[in-house]
Amino acid sequence: MQRLLVYTDLDGTLLDHHSYDFGPALPVLERLERLGVPWIINTSKTFAELRSLRQRLGHGHPFIVENGAAVYLPAGCLPGGEELPEEQGLRVRRFAPERRTLLERIAPLLADYECTGFSQMNVAELQACTGLAAEDARRALQRNYSEPLLWRDSELALEHLSARVAACGLSLLRGGRFVHVMGQVDKATPMPWLGAQYARQSTAPLQTLALGDGQNDVAMLEAADRAVIVRSPTHAPPAVRGRSVTLTDALGPAGWARAVSAVLDQLITEAPDD
Ligand SMILES: [Mg+2]
């Protein structure tokens, strides 16, 4: 079988949009493990937010955090290659400045606007403006590569800040509730580097499959050989260009499972000698 590398978003893709359930995808995750197909989590979530989730998923492969900011390689994964720094027992390849660098760069700018950054909030203050449970709020504050801002200034002021942030090598992303200051990265940024690490392990050709449901998945979907847009119960599918783009009929993890199964069936049929 041709070697396959799977990149997957979490919320609304592998995880149900409302319940975060991934039950419908479990048999296919097990099939990927049996076939030795790495599945890379590619999410806007943070390292801290992924810790228990990866345990529940039984995930032992590399994972990409905070919208392409960094790739973490679990112990023993993709040996050799360049020397990488370690963080809590995992090797990390960073593609964006770390948060303390980011905060140093934006502190002089933020003084000119009406806004509050996560770095200025404690758990209780974040709970008050989000309604998050204490444990979730505590985890949300543990970010490594981005600074969410509670914006209270005008739209014009936000455009002004956006230009100033870009001038210092950073970018500004509008989320639902917060404006995020982050590096100039997206979910596709780490893919060539990670692909090269897998290419080092074997000479067999490598094909990539990416699955996502949202606007912040578009770069990842367009960077993959095959793209699957997972249908969402809450928003229209994003526009994705590419040679092989499909949209699932089923929502969330059920759509995910059927789409990955179909690709595996096809690759196995194409290589009957394996
Ligand atoms: Mg999503």
Side-chain angles (χ1 to χ4, degrees):
M1 187 175 130
Q2 187 173 20
R3 281 199 308 157
L4 182 68
L5 192 55
V6 177
Y7 290 92
T8 183
D9 170 50
L10 291 176
D11 293 0
T13 299
L14 180 58
L15 308 179
D16 181 88
H17 178 85
H18 298 292
S19 67
Y20 301 105
D21 178 39
F22 52 85
L26 264 179
V28 184
L29 290 174
E30 285 162 10
R31 189 176 175 202
L32 289 175
E33 293 295 341
R34 280 198 308 276
L35 291 167
V37 174
W39 51 286
I40 314 298
I41 290 175
N42 196 351
T43 179
S44 58
K45 289 184 188 296
T46 63
F47 184 92
E49 288 170 318
L50 283 178
R51 190 191 306 273
S52 69
L53 184 57
R54 286 185 65 243
Q55 265 173 19
R56 277 183 279 135
L57 284 163
H59 185 257
H61 302 286
F63 54 100
I64 300 169
V65 303
E66 297 191 51
N67 281 309
V71 181
Y72 288 87
L73 306 179
C77 199
L78 294 167
E82 68 201 82
E83 280 283 314
L84 292 172
E86 278 200 20
E87 227 181 271
Q88 303 187 47
L90 287 87
R91 286 181 298 147
V92 57
R93 171 69 163 84
R94 302 186 180 102
F95 295 87
E98 287 183 87
R99 188 160 176 227
R100 62 172 179 273
T101 308
L102 184 146
L103 291 175
E104 279 167 15
R105 282 194 215 167
I106 61 171
L109 310 184
L110 294 185
D112 298 338
Y113 306 94
E114 284 294 317
C115 63
T116 310
F118 271 26
S119 59
Q120 299 163 288
M121 292 186 206
N122 60 29
V123 172
E125 285 163 338
L126 182 60
Q127 282 186 273
C129 68
T130 58
L132 284 173
E135 183 56 26
D136 294 334
R138 194 184 58 76
R139 263 200 298 268
L141 289 175
Q142 292 174 38
R143 316 190 74 82
N144 298 330
Y145 306 98
S146 57
E147 172 72 345
L149 307 173
L150 185 60
W151 192 254
R152 293 188 303 272
D153 215 318
S154 69
E155 185 66 23
L156 190 65
L158 186 57
E159 281 172 31
H160 187 238
L161 175 65
S162 179
R164 295 175 76 191
V165 157
C168 56
L170 301 170
S171 70
L172 211 139
L173 184 75
R174 287 158 193 249
R177 201 185 304 254
F178 298 100
V179 170
H180 300 257
V181 183
M182 51 185 270
Q184 290 176 337
V185 291
D186 58 40
K187 285 187 175 188
T189 307
M191 289 168 66
W193 180 84
L194 193 53
Q197 308 312 304
Y198 281 99
R200 257 192 312 110
Q201 314 291 314
S202 155
T203 53
L206 191 64
Q207 202 180 121
T208 53
L209 165 67
L211 302 102
D213 72 308
Q215 204 56 47
N216 69 335
D217 296 313
V218 170
M220 167 182 76
L221 294 168
E222 292 186 345
D225 299 313
R226 295 168 188 247
V228 172
I229 305 168
V230 174
R231 197 179 287 276
S232 164
T234 62
H235 57 259
V240 176
R241 287 175 309 223
R243 283 158 295 153
S244 169
V245 182
T246 55
L247 171 66
T248 65
D249 289 326
L251 304 174
W256 187 99
R258 277 185 226 166
V260 175
S261 293
V263 171
L264 293 176
D265 291 346
Q266 190 189 346
L267 289 178
I268 287 167
T269 315
E270 279 173 10
D273 296 333
D274 274 18

